[in-house]
Amino acid sequence: MNKFRLVMIATLVATFLFVGCNQQGKDSSGALASSAAEKVYVAPGEHDDFYAFISGGFSGQLSVYGLPSGRLFKVIPVFSQDAEKAWGYNEETKPMLNTSHGFVPWDDSHHPDISQTNGELDGRFVFINGNNTPRIAKIDLSVFETTEIIEIPNSAGNHSSAFVTENTEYVVAGTRFSVPIPQRDMPINEYKGNFQGSLSFISVDPEDGGMDLSFQILMPGFDYDLAHPGRGASHGWMFFSTYNSEESHSLMEVNASQNDKDFIAAVNWKKAEEYINEGKFKTMPANYAHNVYDEETHTATSTMKKEVRVLDASELPGLVYLLPTPKSPHGCDVNPTGEYIVGNGKLSSDLTVHSFAKMIDAIESEKFDGEAYGIPILSFEDVLAGTVKQAGLGPLHTEFDGQGNGYTTFFISSEVVKWKVGTWEVVDRQPCYYSVGHLMIPGGNSRKPYGKYVVAMNKITKDRYLPTGPEVTQSAQLYDISGEKMELLLDFPTVGEPHYAAGIPADLIKERSKKIYSLEENKHKYATTSDANVRVERNGNEVHIYMTMIRSHFNPDNIEGIKVGDKVYFHVTNLEQDYDVPHGVSMIGANTSELLIMPGQTETFVWEPKQVGVWPFYCTDFCSALHQEMQGYVRVSPANSDLELSWSLGED
Ligand code: RUQ
Ligand code: CUA
């Protein structure tokens, strides 16, 4: 029976992929009408209307695109080392990738979400989850850089994350894998009843945006897949989809697909705050890293935190309710008014829409349909608002346009389906090339979506682009949704596998984008803000070079007295105070990346010379007509040399 089901599902998937890649591919050839081309054409020198922040999945990064053009502006390094920007290579940013497992230079980033005020996008920050070694990162949109990363303890596979509440009170992080909490050595086949899930609420300081792991909620040993916040009337609640309510631990594709319904867990986080204030939490020992990049010192610090406050959902009434939801739901999406919670059962053809008002009625009249580990289960019929029937195959994610329509992706039948909120009727469908995962409408996770475009993020591209060997590009597709029918406008390649994205009108960000770092405000410990302070200092075998750069030289550019076996720190300050004049620096044989230093900024790399000689360094960014002259030499003498340190610029 189990094997039969498995084969059935696999066949279904294969059939639809095959159909998708052949028939739909042909239909679309030459479909790009000239009106579509006009709609995505942004003339040279003009700006796009929207920013789209698209996650990189296994790249661990976040890419910034313009819409409607699909042009790539920047790859913001988040969880993965990036030699282009020295992220995780220079001394200043290495602490950002510190974790309880040590330095972890990679992660899997899935869900970006933009900060909100009163349920609307405010354009201050983007938050994004790291799946593999559970973390949440914050990107500051005045500089488009990652400025904070917090690790999540008692978690594994931080997938239902990083979604923000309507005043950015919290960013959430739900564990995908249940695990022993606290971690311990135990047999895997004793999973059931012993492994647990955790849902973490990370508070965000309203003033400076600082993150803090406020509390965690201990949950039954299900898999917590996605989440979205309540808003409007349902503000104060957070909804998490679950699968594997079977609590199985092996051959999951069969064993976690047994139950007809899994759940959406409705978490009352305002109630959680009450319990915290009443002291109804346990303090658990923990070990997790909190890494903060300070904009004044241009330097990150990593602090290990040792405790976490934990609320047990099975002991605290009113904290969590379970809403039965058919067939291993994946996406868990809330409409702009906050009344409807959509659960997309990925093995179902229907979409289940729950009603928040009905949920509250059922809770108040205590109409429960059993419980799981002490958590009340509501009855499916009592909370059901409606069903979008037979809309497609393999529903995954839903977004809303703010005009009363929902848009749901179907992985297996490879399409976006538009339906009406309230009547649940399908009004349009458009194919995706191919096998779409998430979709994004700018402001889609807020009270105020900007329903002009939807971006579909596809898992497979096959024949859509020129081949590039076995690995073909990942891809997104842009649709115009301003009319009754959706219109495919554009394919554009993405960096890594695009999982989810967050979009925002450009006007909400671009005026606040920083142009330079002020030299006067540079508090870097090794900053050299004027040429008078340039120097080289020795402390045992550590040598610190206080260096400046300006068009088109380094100061100093000749250094002697370095010895084999020294550890040489280049602390380099870019003295420029003009927009868009970075300089770079690299040293032959250094075991790190180059540095790319913004105006007014200081960065450091370490070089350990291993060979006697005279070794060059140079500027890596084409900064002026005399960029190629921006270079220097370091003389390296034998370890036992007694040559004194000396340095110069422009001397014979
Ligand atoms: S997932 S394709 Cu990692 Cu958001 Cu659904
Ligand atoms: Cu400085 Cu090139």
Side-chain angles (χ1 to χ4, degrees), residues 110-111 159 226 330 396-397 437-438 459 499:
H110 281 207
H111 306 122
H159 194 260
L226 276 140
H330 183 58
L396 290 182
H397 297 283
H438 276 275
K459 303 300 186 192
H499 265 263

Side-chain angles (χ1 to χ4, degrees), residues 560-566 609 611-613 615 634-643:
E560 303 199 359
I562 305 287
K563 294 181 260 185
V564 169
D566 281 348
Q611 296 172 43
V612 166
W615 305 104
V634 178
R635 173 179 169 188
V636 178
S637 303
N640 60 2
S641 155
D642 49 19
L643 188 67

Side-chain angles (χ1 to χ4, degrees), residues 315-369:
E315 288 170 9
L316 298 169
L319 190 55
V320 182
Y321 297 92
L322 299 173
L323 282 56
T325 306
K327 294 264 26 154
S328 301
H330 183 58
C332 177
D333 298 289
V334 179
N335 80 321
T337 68
E339 164 60 10
Y340 297 116
I341 304 117
V342 184
N344 294 337
K346 53 189 186 278
L347 300 180
S348 155
S349 58
D350 298 340
L351 310 184
T352 303
V353 187
H354 298 298
S355 155
F356 178 73
K358 285 183 159 187
M359 180 191 97
I360 293 296
D361 283 351
I363 292 171
E364 280 171 359
S365 52
E366 298 190 10
K367 281 178 71 185
F368 301 135
D369 195 11

